[in-house]
Amino acid sequence: PATPAAPPPAADEVAAQERTPDASDSHAAFPRAAMGAFDPDALVAAGFRREDVARFRSRVDEIELKRLYLRDQATREGWLETPRFMQESRALFDELVGLRKEFDEPLYDWVLFSTGHPNRVAVREVISGSAGDAAGLLRGDVIVRYDDQLVLSPTELRDATTQGRPGELVELEVQREGESGPLRIFVPRGPIGITLAPTAVQPAPAG
C-alpha cells in the first residue's frame, strides 16, 4: 500500500506547469543518513544480485566522498557558495541521478523505497473539468507510469507532459486502492489538471 512521505513538500501543480527547484521533490539524492538504512539483504531478497547491490552502494559512497572533498576544498580556498561551487556540486548531483541509467531501473527504484525516499506520485486533488477529471482520475490514485515511463517524482511527471505532440493520447498506469491490478487510463498529452504529493510504494520484486 502507498504510504505518504513525511513531511510532503508543497504540491506540484501539473495543470499550471510550474517549475519547482530540484530539491523540492528530488528522488535522486541519497543523503548519508538515509544510506545508513541501506539493507543489502532486503534488496537481495527482492531479487537483485548481491554484486549489483554492492556496486550500487559503492558508487553512492564514491559520489558522496567527492561531495565531501569538494566542500572541504571550497571552504579552504574560499570559494564556497560561489558559482564555481554550485556548478561542481550540480555535476555531482547529475552523477547521482545518472545511477538510474547506470544500473537497472528496478534496483534504483528499490533503493529509493528501502532508504525511505519517495518513489511514486499520488494524486492529491483533481481539478474539475480537467483532462484528469475527464479520464476518471481520483484523489489517492498513484501514477506509476506515464507513456510507459516509470514516474518517480512530481517533477518527472510534469516534465513528461510537456514532451511529444500536444493532445496525443498517452497511457497512464495507475494504482488505485481496492483494485487488484493496475488501471490503464488515457489522457491527452499536456496538463493533466491534478496536484500531486510524493509518496512511497513498495515496488514489485525484481525479475
Side-chain angles (χ1 to χ4, degrees), residues 13-206:
E13 179 51 80
V14 175
Q17 299 294 315
E18 292 176 355
R19 193 71 186 169
T20 55
D22 289 341
S24 68
D25 66 348
S26 172
H27 56 82
F30 297 98
R32 200 64 217 158
M35 286 306 290
F38 192 99
D39 186 350
D41 292 335
L43 295 171
V44 170
F48 299 101
R49 298 191 308 168
R50 189 171 293 276
E51 54 266 37
D52 291 337
V53 173
R55 191 164 61 89
F56 189 103
R57 177 58 188 263
S58 177
R59 286 287 287 123
V60 173
D61 287 347
E62 175 188 337
I63 297 168
E64 174 66 10
L65 282 174
K66 289 180 182 178
R67 189 188 68 81
L68 292 175
Y69 279 111
L70 172 63
R71 174 169 288 273
D72 179 76
Q73 179 186 3
T75 301
R76 292 174 183 276
E77 297 177 1
W79 46 276
L80 188 67
E81 306 303 333
T82 65
R84 175 187 173 185
F85 178 78
M86 298 300 179
Q87 182 179 6
E88 294 191 25
S89 294
R90 180 68 204 193
L92 291 177
F93 179 83
D94 290 343
E95 186 175 352
L96 200 57
V97 173
L99 296 181
R100 182 175 182 176
K101 293 182 179 180
E102 184 176 332
F103 293 84
D104 288 340
E105 190 173 58
L107 175 56
Y108 185 91
D109 188 17
W110 262 96
V111 171
L112 284 175
F113 174 77
S114 65
T115 55
H117 288 74
N119 66 331
R120 295 290 183 273
V121 292
V123 176
R124 178 175 287 173
E125 298 290 346
V126 181
I127 299 174
S128 178
S130 66
D133 184 29
L137 285 173
L138 301 177
R139 182 176 183 178
D141 283 350
V142 174
I143 298 176
V144 180
R145 291 182 179 274
Y146 180 94
D147 195 21
D148 203 34
Q149 298 180 29
L150 183 64
V151 176
L152 299 179
S153 75
T155 296
E156 283 191 357
L157 179 58
R158 183 196 58 235
D159 289 348
T161 66
T162 66
Q163 299 171 6
R165 190 174 70 253
E168 67 178 344
L169 285 183
V170 175
E171 182 180 286
L172 299 182
E173 179 181 322
V174 175
Q175 181 178 336
R176 179 173 293 169
E177 187 174 359
E179 297 288 343
S180 58
L183 303 178
R184 310 292 178 182
I185 294 177
F186 290 87
V187 296
R189 191 181 293 274
I192 301 174
I194 53 179
T195 58
L196 301 170
T199 191
V201 177
Q202 181 171 320

